[in-house]
Amino acid sequence: MKNPPKISESEWSVMEIAWESAPVAAAEIIERLAQRMKWKHQTIRTLLARLVKKGALASKPDGNRYLYHPLVRREQCVHSESESFLNRVFGGAGKPLLVHFATKADLTKEEIRELKRILSEREGQK
């Protein structure tokens, strides 16, 4: 799938479970989200149905239950969401995004070293 479907914040919670545990029964998804998010069962079933309709999840019957598995990889969705955020908030410009997060995020020394390494590698590629 070239462009993964747009996934809402609530739907993302469902997808996280699917990416982590697929194939996963609807009952397990409901149990985990009902505890963690305090959502009603019908809300979670609605999110599952939306994700199937969008083509992000597929379901198949397994006896008297349904098993769900993702049709899109987490990495695809992260990439799409990142691009959308970069374009929407920073007009597609990487520098303001990096400056913002480098100055606002609570980075450890190890994280700063890793960012420097990545930027150095990128510089060598240009």
Side-chain angles (χ1 to χ4, degrees):
M1 178 176 281
K2 282 185 179 178
N3 294 317
K6 296 283 184 201
I7 297 173
S8 72
E9 189 173 336
S10 298
E11 292 166 345
W12 196 273
S13 298
V14 174
M15 290 300 296
E16 287 287 356
I17 294 171
W19 286 319
E20 175 186 302
S21 304
V24 60
E28 182 179 341
I29 295 170
I30 290 168
E31 180 182 331
R32 289 171 64 180
L33 288 175
Q35 288 175 354
R36 187 174 72 210
M37 307 298 282
K38 308 294 185 219
W39 291 339
K40 295 184 187 309
H41 291 202
Q42 189 55 47
T43 300
I44 300 165
R45 289 197 181 281
T46 298
L47 293 172
L48 286 167
R50 277 190 208 158
L51 288 164
V52 168
K53 186 176 180 179
K54 288 181 177 185
L57 282 179
S59 66
K60 67 177 182 178
D62 181 52
N64 63 349
R65 65 185 186 159
Y66 279 90
L67 295 178
Y68 289 84
H69 66 275
L71 295 176
V72 292
R73 293 186 337 271
R74 186 180 195 286
E75 296 76 23
Q76 287 175 291
C77 292
V78 167
H79 178 77
S80 178
E81 287 294 320
S82 298
E83 279 189 352
S84 173
F85 177 78
L86 179 64
N87 288 327
R88 193 174 62 253
V89 177
F90 293 97
K95 180 182 174 185
L97 170 101
L98 290 172
V99 168
H100 174 78
F101 284 113
T103 58
K104 302 295 182 195
D106 187 21
L107 300 171
T108 66
K109 287 183 180 183
E110 180 57 36
E111 289 169 330
I112 292 169
R113 278 194 293 275
E114 178 69 7
L115 286 172
K116 285 180 178 179
R117 184 191 65 73
I118 291 168
L119 290 172
S120 179
E121 282 179 10
R122 289 291 309 261
E123 186 177 46
Q125 294 172 358
K126 300 273 178 188

